[in-house]
Amino acid sequence: MRNAIWIELKNVIGALNSISRVIAEHKGNIEDMEYLGEGKTVHLYLEIGGPGEIDRLINDLKGLDKVVSISTVPEFSRIYGKRVIVIGGGAQVAEVAKGAISEADRHNLRGEKISVDTIPLVGEKQTAEAVRAVARLPRARILILAGSLMGGDITRAVKEIQGRGIPVVSLKMAGSVPKAADLIVSDPIQAGVMAVMAVADTAKFRIEKKGKAY
């Protein structure tokens, strides 16, 4: 069983140590964490697996002098769910997002939770850094690369995140990225649609033939 909590705590040395110690005492395991804010107080989002009695855990956390307030919240996976990431040139990203958002809406109406994140970028270094960061994003399930020319370090980054279980869809473009991608799609709107279908439990489409163009 997993529970999500939202904590406001004093921004002081040892605050995170105190929180994790209490969770460990309750046989809980921190499975996801987000740390937000700056100043005298900050907010901490935690997804905790294991504790049998979440109310007792919360009461003990409230007893810490470093904790300002605490409440239970829905897990991010129940609200924003799986994430489809789109990276590339502004015009292409916009078209891919159009298809992905329309398709996500269709599946979300049937009980899925799929969100679409986009970032328009230029330059090999910036794009490669963004691609590698996808593997560190919570709940990221698939990446779409939308541009007219991508290769070099971007291709190396693509292979790295594929090795960590994230499939990559590429528009048909110049450069070596399409050769490394799991799926090549000529039409940007269809690329967005097919990427969402690939991660949706309510769809039967799966990426099976690497490099096949649609």
Side-chain angles (χ1 to χ4, degrees):
M1 183 178 179
R2 180 184 287 196
N3 295 278
I5 58 176
W6 180 250
I7 308 172
E8 181 183 5
L9 69 160
K10 298 175 184 177
N11 190 8
V12 296
I13 295 173
L16 288 176
N17 180 63
S18 298
I19 296 291
S20 60
R21 176 174 49 79
V22 172
I23 293 172
E25 289 172 354
H26 283 263
K27 308 300 182 184
N29 182 44
I30 298 174
E31 297 177 356
D32 195 6
M33 181 175 70
E34 298 282 345
Y35 191 83
L36 302 97
E38 56 185 24
K40 293 183 179 180
T41 63
V42 295
H43 286 88
L44 185 66
Y45 169 81
L46 297 174
E47 290 186 8
I48 304 170
E53 297 185 31
I54 189 65
D55 291 338
R56 289 183 60 189
L57 170 60
I58 290 176
N59 284 335
D60 286 352
L61 288 172
K62 285 181 178 178
L64 297 174
D65 61 356
K66 297 177 179 66
V67 171
V68 178
S69 65
I70 184 171
S71 61
T72 57
V73 293
E75 298 170 44
F76 274 142
S77 59
R78 290 173 51 194
I79 302 172
Y80 289 102
K82 305 165 187 170
R83 299 169 72 181
V84 175
I85 312 298
V86 189
I87 298 173
Q92 294 97 329
V93 165
E95 290 299 298
V96 170
K98 185 186 299 183
I101 291 169
S102 296
E103 185 68 12
D105 183 61
R106 188 169 73 88
H107 291 283
N108 289 350
L109 287 171
R110 296 157 62 190
E112 283 274 5
K113 289 292 188 298
I114 299 172
S115 56
V116 180
D117 296 85
T118 66
I119 179 167
L121 288 173
V122 293
E124 179 182 342
K125 180 181 178 181
Q126 293 89 334
T127 303
E129 288 176 347
V131 170
R132 289 188 172 95
V134 172
R136 304 193 297 270
L137 289 174
R139 307 179 315 283
R141 293 293 182 269
I142 195 166
L143 168 65
I144 310 171
L145 288 174
S148 55
L149 171 63
M150 290 188 187
D153 196 34
I154 301 173
T155 303
R156 289 189 286 273
V158 164
K159 293 178 180 179
E160 288 174 20
I161 69 168
Q162 287 171 324
R164 298 181 67 176
I166 296 178
V168 178
V169 175
S170 169
L171 294 187
K172 190 175 183 180
M173 65 174 110
S176 56
V177 159
K179 294 180 182 179
D182 297 284
L183 179 68
I184 307 166
V185 186
S186 299
D187 181 79
I189 292 178
Q190 286 301 314
V193 169
M194 298 176 81
V196 170
M197 290 177 64
V199 300
D201 293 331
T202 49
K204 296 182 179 180
F205 174 77
R206 291 293 180 267
I207 296 176
E208 295 178 351
K209 294 186 178 180
K210 181 177 179 180
K212 185 173 181 180
Y214 289 83

